[in-house]
Amino acid sequence: QVQLVESGGGLVQPGGSLKLSCAASGIISNNYRMGWYRQAPGKQRELVATITSGGSTNYGDSVKGRFTISRDNTKKSVSLEMNSLKSEDTAVYYCNVNYGRNYWGKGTLVTVSS
């Protein structure tokens, strides 16, 4: 059974930085896409960033140039480096793995506020 465990959320001031990490277990192959999505209060879940096993990345328009996604295939983990954070980045961030189907972590809250 695939399980995803996120870490690294918290409170940060506008303009600050934060790093999220996600560790996956129960996956045998390295051929799967990993990523991050987020959901702000009252809004739909949206794409933040994804990365393939080969390292190809895709970012949501609102985070391009500020966020960087990376992964470690040996550790089956994915990270999200978030810089120049804005109040509108406040949301619950979910780790995602597409491995036959979509799997989701429980989410970690990121709050950007002064």
Side-chain angles (χ1 to χ4, degrees):
Q1 184 176 355
V2 176
Q3 291 187 324
L4 304 175
V5 178
E6 301 113 332
S7 61
L11 173 64
V12 62
Q13 292 186 342
S17 299
L18 205 60
K19 184 176 181 178
L20 305 182
S21 298
C22 173
S25 60
I27 297 177
I28 299 174
S29 167
N30 278 329
N31 188 22
Y32 55 93
R33 189 184 69 208
M34 304 186 81
W36 293 92
Y37 291 73
R38 69 186 183 186
Q39 188 166 16
K43 294 187 177 181
Q44 291 188 331
R45 191 172 296 189
E46 65 174 0
L47 166 72
V48 177
T50 61
I51 184 167
T52 68
S53 55
S56 296
T57 58
N58 182 42
Y59 292 91
D61 289 340
S62 61
V63 307
K64 285 180 181 177
R66 300 188 297 123
F67 291 10
T68 302
I69 190 171
S70 60
R71 67 187 279 172
D72 185 331
N73 288 330
T74 59
K75 295 182 179 179
K76 292 183 169 47
S77 65
V78 62
S79 297
L80 184 69
E81 186 76 41
M82 305 183 292
N83 298 313
S84 302
L85 283 161
K86 306 174 182 179
S87 58
E88 49 262 46
D89 294 317
T90 295
V92 177
Y93 285 70
Y94 295 92
C95 179
N96 168 268
V97 165
N98 186 272
Y99 182 60
R101 67 171 183 89
N102 277 318
Y103 294 88
W104 298 93
K106 293 182 178 180
T108 184
L109 177 63
V110 172
T111 302
V112 184
S113 175
S114 56

